[in-house]
Amino acid sequence: MSTPIVPRCEAFMIRLRPGALTEWIDLHANVWPELVEEQGRVGISTMSVYALDDERLVVHSVVTRPDAWERLIDLPVHRRWVAESRHLNASAQADDTVQRELLPEVLHLDFPNPDDPVRRAVPVNQDGETDDHGR
């Protein structure tokens, strides 16, 4: 019997170089199709990016594998992408990876059915596991 795939949310922050936000958005709005394909293959289902300011971005993703981002970072197509966008990304490293500042999930709200009157907040522990204390 195989283990069911349970999507989970992950978030991290990256830093841009001053004045790079508009060009970063334009570049990522036209991401390479082969990179998109690999993102799905490694287990990244969706990704949204939020700007805290002109130099700090929060990347939120839904992943189906806990190691999805690590798998992507090691792929040649991702390293080429980082090399191509290095001039914009202050978090880019010499080995064509990106330094991610992981953001811990502190609360997860589960709304399985809008008609279900039971809605509750579930705390998340430091390991990223829900901790509902047996409730």
Side-chain angles (χ1 to χ4, degrees):
M1 181 196 258
S2 63
T3 305
I5 296 174
V6 179
R8 58 176 262 166
C9 298
E10 291 186 357
F12 56 88
M13 186 170 61
I14 61 172
R15 297 182 185 274
L16 299 180
R17 298 192 191 284
L21 180 60
T22 300
E23 188 178 349
W24 187 95
I25 292 169
D26 291 345
L27 180 68
H28 284 75
N30 295 293
V31 66
W32 302 334
E34 60 268 30
L35 181 54
V36 171
E37 182 179 324
E38 290 297 336
Q39 286 173 309
R41 191 182 63 75
V42 299
I44 301 169
S45 297
T46 65
M47 184 176 86
S48 297
V49 181
Y50 303 88
L52 294 175
D53 53 39
D54 287 347
E55 296 177 18
R56 296 179 303 156
L57 302 178
V58 172
V59 178
H60 172 270
S61 61
V62 175
V63 297
T64 57
R65 299 178 57 118
D67 63 345
W69 280 102
E70 288 72 22
R71 291 166 49 99
L72 181 69
I73 287 168
D74 286 336
L75 295 175
V77 67
H78 187 264
R79 288 181 187 264
R80 286 193 314 273
W81 180 263
V82 173
E84 182 81 17
S85 61
R86 170 178 307 287
H87 66 289
L88 305 172
N89 195 335
S91 296
Q93 303 297 297
D95 65 352
D96 292 330
T97 61
V98 174
Q99 179 182 359
R100 300 175 299 139
E101 298 176 45
L102 298 177
L103 301 174
E105 183 178 41
V106 296
L107 181 68
H108 175 81
L109 297 174
D110 188 13
F111 304 108
N113 180 342
D115 297 324
D116 184 351
V118 178
R119 295 181 182 209
R120 61 189 176 115
V122 179
V124 177
N125 66 25
Q126 289 180 329
D127 296 324
E129 300 166 347
T130 58
D131 185 6
D132 63 2
H133 306 289
R135 288 179 267 180

